[in-house]
Amino acid sequence: MKRLLTMLAIMSIGGGAQVAFANDELQKLIDDPNQWAIQTGDYANLRYSKLDQINKDNVGKLQVAWTFSTGVLRGHEGSPLVIGDLMYVHTPFPNTVYALDLSKDGQIVWKYEPKQDPNVIPVMCCDTVNRGVAYADNKIFLHQADTTVVALDAKTGKVIWSVKNGDATKGETNTATVMPVKDKILVGISGGEFGVRGHVTAYSMADGKVLWRGYSMGPDSDTLIDPEKTTHLGKPVGKDSGLTTWEGDQWKIGGGTTWGWYSYDPEENLVYYGTGNPSTWNPTQRPGDNRWSMTIFARDVDTGMAKWLYQMTPHDEWDYDGVNEMILTEQQIDGKDRKLLTHFDRNGFGYTMDRVTGELLVAEKYDPTVNWATEVVMDPKSDKYGRPQVVAQYSTEQNGEDTNTTGVCPAALGTKDQQPAAYSPKTELFYVPTNHVCMDYEPFRVSYTAGQPYVGATLSMYPPKDSHGGMGNFIAWDNKEGKIKWSLPEPFSVWSGALATAGDVVFYGTLEGYLKAVDAATGKELYRFKTPSGVIGNVMTYAREGKQYVAVLSGVGGWAGIGLAAGLTNPTEGLGAVGGYSALSNYTALGGTLTVFKLPE
Amino acid sequence: MKRLLTMLAIMSIGGGAQVAFANDELQKLIDDPNQWAIQTGDYANLRYSKLDQINKDNVGKLQVAWTFSTGVLRGHEGSPLVIGDLMYVHTPFPNTVYALDLSKDGQIVWKYEPKQDPNVIPVMCCDTVNRGVAYADNKIFLHQADTTVVALDAKTGKVIWSVKNGDATKGETNTATVMPVKDKILVGISGGEFGVRGHVTAYSMADGKVLWRGYSMGPDSDTLIDPEKTTHLGKPVGKDSGLTTWEGDQWKIGGGTTWGWYSYDPEENLVYYGTGNPSTWNPTQRPGDNRWSMTIFARDVDTGMAKWLYQMTPHDEWDYDGVNEMILTEQQIDGKDRKLLTHFDRNGFGYTMDRVTGELLVAEKYDPTVNWATEVVMDPKSDKYGRPQVVAQYSTEQNGEDTNTTGVCPAALGTKDQQPAAYSPKTELFYVPTNHVCMDYEPFRVSYTAGQPYVGATLSMYPPKDSHGGMGNFIAWDNKEGKIKWSLPEPFSVWSGALATAGDVVFYGTLEGYLKAVDAATGKELYRFKTPSGVIGNVMTYAREGKQYVAVLSGVGGWAGIGLAAGLTNPTEGLGAVGGYSALSNYTALGGTLTVFKLPE
Ligand SMILES: O=C(O)c1cc(C(=O)O)c2c(n1)C(=O)C(=O)c1cc(C(=O)O)[nH]c1-2
Ligand SMILES: O=C(O)c1cc(C(=O)O)c2c(n1)C(=O)C(=O)c1cc(C(=O)O)[nH]c1-2
């Protein structure tokens, strides 16, 4: 708290009264556990609430307080926000936003219904999801599927400004939330399966003016990389690293999209995010390390300049997008206070880093079935430092085009995908919704046409052999040891975001539709409730008039649920997910509903 | 019960072993309060359950047990059935049917998804609703929107047989449930707004063969009316009454569709149902009484022959379809046991009749604002016997074409529409979900084209002046006195079906989305819960392993909710309902969800 106050003080001197005010208000809301002011719970992406009225002793008595149907089918990711009396609920395409008055039994105060060209639907790789709105400066920020970024008056829903961040006719779309920081909002872009070159863009909160844009690849002027000062595992990256690690012009259609959850360290003034797969999925077509796809970026919020980078999966051969969230914690290692960044990568390794320097501290498998690499080289003196050691048998490049590489674990959707983990400072554990899925992967040559799929691989997905038979686990992870503390088997991938609370309870949702509450220390299941549809939303909590509520969007979909969401039945459709998750249709059907829980009176 | 056993005995002699078995099984299921084997609760349409675990003292503690999203938007009418371990849940168009295994936490055992031509959607007058499936003979019967009647294996969902009951290209559609009786199923037809001539058809349960069809109008051979034996208020109707009360060939496009809830008296072997509005809505275009539109029919189940008829609104000028359900009770009047039929007509009169003879006993307004008629003439000697006395000011015919008749109460959707009432033998009261709405009605000349709207009137709807400001009431009605016992004002029409139970509780849903429980004696509200969407489904109850459950489908729509359901905003669209119910969008959005309630453990 002292640290925070100092930070705010600095800001109000440095940034001018107006700016300080905007951020000040949002930070206050974020710090107030009665609100849920940002999708990620806080800037550190902890998804931890200090509320403890609902706790491990009484959570078993939880009951449904009220429910709200969003009027939209297909996958509902993200969560509502709660700011004072208003709850903001968003939907997948068409990205309707509702403001509900919690003081009036959830009456609809306003509804924003963008008119979007439905042609955006077929160029969204992994369902028409949207991971939610952001709040700052009395505005609600929505980044629509068609990449329109819109600022709405938080009280009335009136459009204040709106800009286009991309071009959906070229396969540029959006699914991510908006990150409000200081006087800016930061937004990403999707389209790695369409050869979109990823970027993060900062817009002015006030009027939507572009402040900076940093690409994932290209010349340093595009990537906002300083060849001398920007480091990779402690070493300067050198000139045009986003060009020289590619053959020819492939970087121009090189992917590395930016559709994950961002985090922010106000003290360091750094924003953290990861980049997605290099395009195409056929690795033979893009020799080189393909920097900076599959990379953690730490960028200065004001300038966009990259301070440090870490590429987890150089020259990806499996679609292990590096976009998963960075969780920022302060923990002791060997008796020393460290500012850490913990990241559960699609590639199956859980990374612990020093978030100030970008030093790699831990890289361990968070699912024992991960087999595509034996380890990440941890010796700083090795020329392989920080690189995963690829197992030849599972190398889709070494096996070559038109060869089916079988039994690769994890599958393309990784040991974890967009579903965000939570962290409890009380247990110092990370609660991670995971996938327990393997794949066959057959790359093939593909040519680029703007707006057309640029995938170049055929996939099948299935549960690991000799495992518990299910396709998911919900685990507790020790990021200092790099060890699984406990693991709960789940029949399907846990595609919902977790919530940890001071009540020593951890919540998550399942693809069949359960909201589950487990003991933060032991993982023991304490409560379950079958919501209307499969849960791929993130659990959130808030309090009103002294009463704590827990809420989650259900509405099956996302990549895992794409078969149901898009009505596909051919097993290799949906980039291989349709077959893998076909049994989901025995449990749930589409439909977006918010379910709000409370303890009995 | 003695009566019932006698009846079954007679049946098994008369109808052959096979037939008796089918009906026997269904009757047993209907008699078992743990099941909900027929949409209407029982053949008498009481919607009364003998279950009393949930009662007026503990209903306030009700909580949600589980929920299920149907994957379909738009209006969800009807209710699930529960037969043993399986619950059958249906949806509006495309009329998906799910069998959920209640012993396995609601897992989907099978799903039937008909492929229907979406061109049926625009020829459905009042949303794409469906009022649910029927069960008999190990089959689930579904009457699809496109009039395909299909028999599914109740265990597997496999199609056993399927027939077409109408032609959607001519505007013939279906929304009603199927009535299983003995070895037959009876089905109706919709399309009064498209000049469809209504009929009821009996198909063989075993193979879908047509057994008989009775039209609402036309020659006696079509209507299955015996000019000598079929009576209207005690008098033989005479030859071709369904022809002679029409001008020219208008009867061929004369409406009188049959989309309501049917009831059945096994002792009398009579099925009861009502017919809808004569076509067009412009009364000037169809001189005459327009028999047998707006009529209660009592037909012999085996032959289809009409035993008696009663036309409530001769020569309709307001679209007061006579399809609302007939509720069959045994009550004492003046110390004598009577077999009664009680019917809450769209026209605002609650009728009590002798269901054996068709004698009219009571006809009183069940909303004091009803103004289009002063009374129904009750003097058998009058030549106006049984006819409503029309008030000239509100006669759209007398005011003439292209004149806007204003302030007519009720509106076209009547003091009650499809939403079925319930009856408790314990209180001898009827619990009636009602509309409290008036209208302006301007008829205009229209010409008939098959498959095109044949309405010929422009409407506006609004709450009555000098009333409570809302658009609905939930009332308790004494059918012997013809008096309202108590009345609960509601902001919107109560478009959901009621349920009365031996626990002295009455349940109903509201268009904003509440499930409400009230004291059967006093109407005092005991419980409310906000379901995901507006409720137009019917509340049902069942028990498993000694525990009582109450369930209701939410999913706003129907005629009242057509603005939301079809995305209409012009006030006179949706036959006038869009304007009247526009405020609904401040409360709820679309989405089909089943919510199941129970008491805490
Ligand atoms: O490369 C891309 O641009 C991109 C975008 C998205 C997206 O925007 O949802 C996904 C992915 N990739 C992806 O690889 C992936 O696994 C994925 C899962 C989901 C989801 O919401 O369930 N989206 C995406
Ligand atoms: O004349 C007809 O054939 C016909 C059909 C239907 C129907 O099938 O739903 C309705 C009506 N009329 C009608 O008049 C009416 O008020 C109505 C309400 C509803 C409903 O489900 O909310 N359907 C219908």
PDB file of all heavy atoms in Angstrom, chain A residues 317-318 371-373 389-399 405:
ATOM      1  N   GLU A 317       6.548 -25.119 -33.720  1.00  0.00           N
ATOM      2  CA  GLU A 317       6.118 -26.184 -34.645  1.00  0.00           C
ATOM      3  C   GLU A 317       4.799 -26.818 -34.207  1.00  0.00           C
ATOM      4  O   GLU A 317       4.408 -27.859 -34.720  1.00  0.00           O
ATOM      5  CB  GLU A 317       7.190 -27.290 -34.717  1.00  0.00           C
ATOM      6  CG  GLU A 317       8.603 -26.787 -34.892  1.00  0.00           C
ATOM      7  CD  GLU A 317       9.657 -27.886 -34.644  1.00  0.00           C
ATOM      8  OE1 GLU A 317       9.413 -29.044 -35.035  1.00  0.00           O
ATOM      9  OE2 GLU A 317      10.708 -27.574 -34.061  1.00  0.00           O
ATOM     10  N   TRP A 318       4.098 -26.185 -33.227  1.00  0.00           N
ATOM     11  CA  TRP A 318       2.931 -26.830 -32.612  1.00  0.00           C
ATOM     12  C   TRP A 318       1.782 -25.870 -32.305  1.00  0.00           C
ATOM     13  O   TRP A 318       0.813 -26.249 -31.682  1.00  0.00           O
ATOM     14  CB  TRP A 318       3.349 -27.517 -31.301  1.00  0.00           C
ATOM     15  CG  TRP A 318       4.571 -28.352 -31.421  1.00  0.00           C
ATOM     16  CD1 TRP A 318       4.604 -29.684 -31.721  1.00  0.00           C
ATOM     17  CD2 TRP A 318       5.931 -27.931 -31.269  1.00  0.00           C
ATOM     18  NE1 TRP A 318       5.908 -30.110 -31.765  1.00  0.00           N
ATOM     19  CE2 TRP A 318       6.749 -29.066 -31.490  1.00  0.00           C
ATOM     20  CE3 TRP A 318       6.546 -26.699 -30.986  1.00  0.00           C
ATOM     21  CZ2 TRP A 318       8.147 -29.004 -31.430  1.00  0.00           C
ATOM     22  CZ3 TRP A 318       7.932 -26.644 -30.915  1.00  0.00           C
ATOM     23  CH2 TRP A 318       8.728 -27.792 -31.135  1.00  0.00           C
ATOM     24  N   ASN A 371       5.471 -33.700 -23.598  1.00  0.00           N
ATOM     25  CA  ASN A 371       6.538 -34.558 -24.144  1.00  0.00           C
ATOM     26  C   ASN A 371       7.301 -33.965 -25.330  1.00  0.00           C
ATOM     27  O   ASN A 371       8.300 -34.540 -25.766  1.00  0.00           O
ATOM     28  CB  ASN A 371       5.968 -35.932 -24.524  1.00  0.00           C
ATOM     29  CG  ASN A 371       4.962 -35.841 -25.673  1.00  0.00           C
ATOM     30  OD1 ASN A 371       4.803 -34.785 -26.296  1.00  0.00           O
ATOM     31  ND2 ASN A 371       4.285 -36.934 -25.955  1.00  0.00           N
ATOM     32  N   TRP A 372       6.867 -32.836 -25.856  1.00  0.00           N
ATOM     33  CA  TRP A 372       7.506 -32.295 -27.069  1.00  0.00           C
ATOM     34  C   TRP A 372       8.918 -31.770 -26.783  1.00  0.00           C
ATOM     35  O   TRP A 372       9.746 -31.662 -27.681  1.00  0.00           O
ATOM     36  CB  TRP A 372       6.662 -31.178 -27.668  1.00  0.00           C
ATOM     37  CG  TRP A 372       6.643 -29.939 -26.797  1.00  0.00           C
ATOM     38  CD1 TRP A 372       5.871 -29.753 -25.698  1.00  0.00           C
ATOM     39  CD2 TRP A 372       7.460 -28.784 -26.931  1.00  0.00           C
ATOM     40  NE1 TRP A 372       6.138 -28.539 -25.123  1.00  0.00           N
ATOM     41  CE2 TRP A 372       7.113 -27.916 -25.870  1.00  0.00           C
ATOM     42  CE3 TRP A 372       8.449 -28.373 -27.837  1.00  0.00           C
ATOM     43  CZ2 TRP A 372       7.718 -26.665 -25.684  1.00  0.00           C
ATOM     44  CZ3 TRP A 372       9.046 -27.127 -27.657  1.00  0.00           C
ATOM     45  CH2 TRP A 372       8.687 -26.291 -26.588  1.00  0.00           C
ATOM     46  N   ALA A 373       9.206 -31.462 -25.496  1.00  0.00           N
ATOM     47  CA  ALA A 373      10.528 -30.989 -25.094  1.00  0.00           C
ATOM     48  C   ALA A 373      10.866 -31.668 -23.776  1.00  0.00           C
ATOM     49  O   ALA A 373       9.971 -31.936 -22.963  1.00  0.00           O
ATOM     50  CB  ALA A 373      10.528 -29.479 -24.925  1.00  0.00           C
ATOM     51  N   GLN A 389      14.332 -28.008 -25.076  1.00  0.00           N
ATOM     52  CA  GLN A 389      15.040 -29.060 -25.813  1.00  0.00           C
ATOM     53  C   GLN A 389      14.016 -29.958 -26.491  1.00  0.00           C
ATOM     54  O   GLN A 389      13.379 -30.805 -25.858  1.00  0.00           O
ATOM     55  CB  GLN A 389      15.938 -29.861 -24.853  1.00  0.00           C
ATOM     56  CG  GLN A 389      17.111 -29.037 -24.332  1.00  0.00           C
ATOM     57  CD  GLN A 389      17.866 -28.362 -25.475  1.00  0.00           C
ATOM     58  OE1 GLN A 389      17.599 -27.194 -25.824  1.00  0.00           O
ATOM     59  NE2 GLN A 389      18.770 -29.085 -26.091  1.00  0.00           N
ATOM     60  N   VAL A 390      13.877 -29.759 -27.794  1.00  0.00           N
ATOM     61  CA  VAL A 390      12.823 -30.424 -28.562  1.00  0.00           C
ATOM     62  C   VAL A 390      13.140 -31.901 -28.751  1.00  0.00           C
ATOM     63  O   VAL A 390      14.278 -32.259 -29.037  1.00  0.00           O
ATOM     64  CB  VAL A 390      12.668 -29.737 -29.934  1.00  0.00           C
ATOM     65  CG1 VAL A 390      11.662 -30.484 -30.803  1.00  0.00           C
ATOM     66  CG2 VAL A 390      12.257 -28.274 -29.755  1.00  0.00           C
ATOM     67  N   VAL A 391      12.125 -32.730 -28.575  1.00  0.00           N
ATOM     68  CA  VAL A 391      12.257 -34.170 -28.806  1.00  0.00           C
ATOM     69  C   VAL A 391      11.976 -34.439 -30.276  1.00  0.00           C
ATOM     70  O   VAL A 391      10.895 -34.106 -30.783  1.00  0.00           O
ATOM     71  CB  VAL A 391      11.272 -34.943 -27.911  1.00  0.00           C
ATOM     72  CG1 VAL A 391      11.299 -36.434 -28.222  1.00  0.00           C
ATOM     73  CG2 VAL A 391      11.591 -34.678 -26.443  1.00  0.00           C
ATOM     74  N   ALA A 392      12.960 -35.032 -30.952  1.00  0.00           N
ATOM     75  CA  ALA A 392      12.878 -35.199 -32.413  1.00  0.00           C
ATOM     76  C   ALA A 392      11.572 -35.869 -32.852  1.00  0.00           C
ATOM     77  O   ALA A 392      10.925 -35.445 -33.812  1.00  0.00           O
ATOM     78  CB  ALA A 392      14.078 -35.994 -32.900  1.00  0.00           C
ATOM     79  N   GLN A 393      11.183 -36.888 -32.102  1.00  0.00           N
ATOM     80  CA  GLN A 393       9.959 -37.641 -32.459  1.00  0.00           C
ATOM     81  C   GLN A 393       8.727 -36.728 -32.590  1.00  0.00           C
ATOM     82  O   GLN A 393       7.819 -36.994 -33.373  1.00  0.00           O
ATOM     83  CB  GLN A 393       9.713 -38.688 -31.359  1.00  0.00           C
ATOM     84  CG  GLN A 393       8.478 -39.546 -31.571  1.00  0.00           C
ATOM     85  CD  GLN A 393       8.216 -40.443 -30.366  1.00  0.00           C
ATOM     86  OE1 GLN A 393       9.028 -40.511 -29.438  1.00  0.00           O
ATOM     87  NE2 GLN A 393       7.100 -41.135 -30.388  1.00  0.00           N
ATOM     88  N   TYR A 394       8.725 -35.636 -31.805  1.00  0.00           N
ATOM     89  CA  TYR A 394       7.540 -34.766 -31.774  1.00  0.00           C
ATOM     90  C   TYR A 394       7.756 -33.462 -32.530  1.00  0.00           C
ATOM     91  O   TYR A 394       6.958 -32.531 -32.427  1.00  0.00           O
ATOM     92  CB  TYR A 394       7.130 -34.500 -30.321  1.00  0.00           C
ATOM     93  CG  TYR A 394       6.838 -35.777 -29.578  1.00  0.00           C
ATOM     94  CD1 TYR A 394       7.585 -36.177 -28.486  1.00  0.00           C
ATOM     95  CD2 TYR A 394       5.803 -36.611 -30.010  1.00  0.00           C
ATOM     96  CE1 TYR A 394       7.327 -37.363 -27.822  1.00  0.00           C
ATOM     97  CE2 TYR A 394       5.530 -37.805 -29.353  1.00  0.00           C
ATOM     98  CZ  TYR A 394       6.302 -38.172 -28.262  1.00  0.00           C
ATOM     99  OH  TYR A 394       6.034 -39.361 -27.623  1.00  0.00           O
ATOM    100  N   SER A 395       8.865 -33.411 -33.284  1.00  0.00           N
ATOM    101  CA  SER A 395       9.161 -32.208 -34.051  1.00  0.00           C
ATOM    102  C   SER A 395       8.441 -32.280 -35.394  1.00  0.00           C
ATOM    103  O   SER A 395       8.789 -33.088 -36.263  1.00  0.00           O
ATOM    104  CB  SER A 395      10.671 -32.077 -34.273  1.00  0.00           C
ATOM    105  OG  SER A 395      10.919 -31.115 -35.269  1.00  0.00           O
ATOM    106  N   THR A 396       7.451 -31.449 -35.573  1.00  0.00           N
ATOM    107  CA  THR A 396       6.678 -31.507 -36.820  1.00  0.00           C
ATOM    108  C   THR A 396       7.517 -31.004 -37.982  1.00  0.00           C
ATOM    109  O   THR A 396       7.256 -31.332 -39.127  1.00  0.00           O
ATOM    110  CB  THR A 396       5.367 -30.706 -36.721  1.00  0.00           C
ATOM    111  OG1 THR A 396       5.657 -29.300 -36.748  1.00  0.00           O
ATOM    112  CG2 THR A 396       4.602 -31.043 -35.455  1.00  0.00           C
ATOM    113  N   GLU A 397       8.535 -30.225 -37.679  1.00  0.00           N
ATOM    114  CA  GLU A 397       9.452 -29.769 -38.732  1.00  0.00           C
ATOM    115  C   GLU A 397      10.390 -30.884 -39.158  1.00  0.00           C
ATOM    116  O   GLU A 397      10.585 -31.129 -40.335  1.00  0.00           O
ATOM    117  CB  GLU A 397      10.251 -28.560 -38.243  1.00  0.00           C
ATOM    118  CG  GLU A 397      11.508 -28.310 -39.054  1.00  0.00           C
ATOM    119  CD  GLU A 397      11.602 -26.907 -39.606  1.00  0.00           C
ATOM    120  OE1 GLU A 397      10.687 -26.088 -39.320  1.00  0.00           O
ATOM    121  OE2 GLU A 397      12.567 -26.630 -40.322  1.00  0.00           O
ATOM    122  N   GLN A 398      10.975 -31.556 -38.167  1.00  0.00           N
ATOM    123  CA  GLN A 398      11.902 -32.641 -38.505  1.00  0.00           C
ATOM    124  C   GLN A 398      11.178 -33.790 -39.199  1.00  0.00           C
ATOM    125  O   GLN A 398      11.714 -34.408 -40.123  1.00  0.00           O
ATOM    126  CB  GLN A 398      12.627 -33.129 -37.241  1.00  0.00           C
ATOM    127  CG  GLN A 398      13.588 -32.087 -36.673  1.00  0.00           C
ATOM    128  CD  GLN A 398      14.200 -32.518 -35.339  1.00  0.00           C
ATOM    129  OE1 GLN A 398      14.696 -33.634 -35.202  1.00  0.00           O
ATOM    130  NE2 GLN A 398      14.155 -31.629 -34.362  1.00  0.00           N
ATOM    131  N   ASN A 399       9.948 -34.065 -38.763  1.00  0.00           N
ATOM    132  CA  ASN A 399       9.180 -35.115 -39.443  1.00  0.00           C
ATOM    133  C   ASN A 399       8.748 -34.656 -40.830  1.00  0.00           C
ATOM    134  O   ASN A 399       8.545 -35.462 -41.725  1.00  0.00           O
ATOM    135  CB  ASN A 399       7.984 -35.525 -38.602  1.00  0.00           C
ATOM    136  CG  ASN A 399       8.428 -36.215 -37.320  1.00  0.00           C
ATOM    137  OD1 ASN A 399       9.502 -36.798 -37.274  1.00  0.00           O
ATOM    138  ND2 ASN A 399       7.616 -36.114 -36.279  1.00  0.00           N
ATOM    139  N   THR A 405       2.672 -36.138 -37.405  1.00  0.00           N
ATOM    140  CA  THR A 405       3.398 -36.345 -36.155  1.00  0.00           C
ATOM    141  C   THR A 405       2.359 -36.650 -35.088  1.00  0.00           C
ATOM    142  O   THR A 405       1.452 -35.850 -34.853  1.00  0.00           O
ATOM    143  CB  THR A 405       4.198 -35.089 -35.796  1.00  0.00           C
ATOM    144  OG1 THR A 405       5.163 -34.868 -36.827  1.00  0.00           O
ATOM    145  CG2 THR A 405       4.907 -35.250 -34.460  1.00  0.00           C
TER     146      THR A 405
END
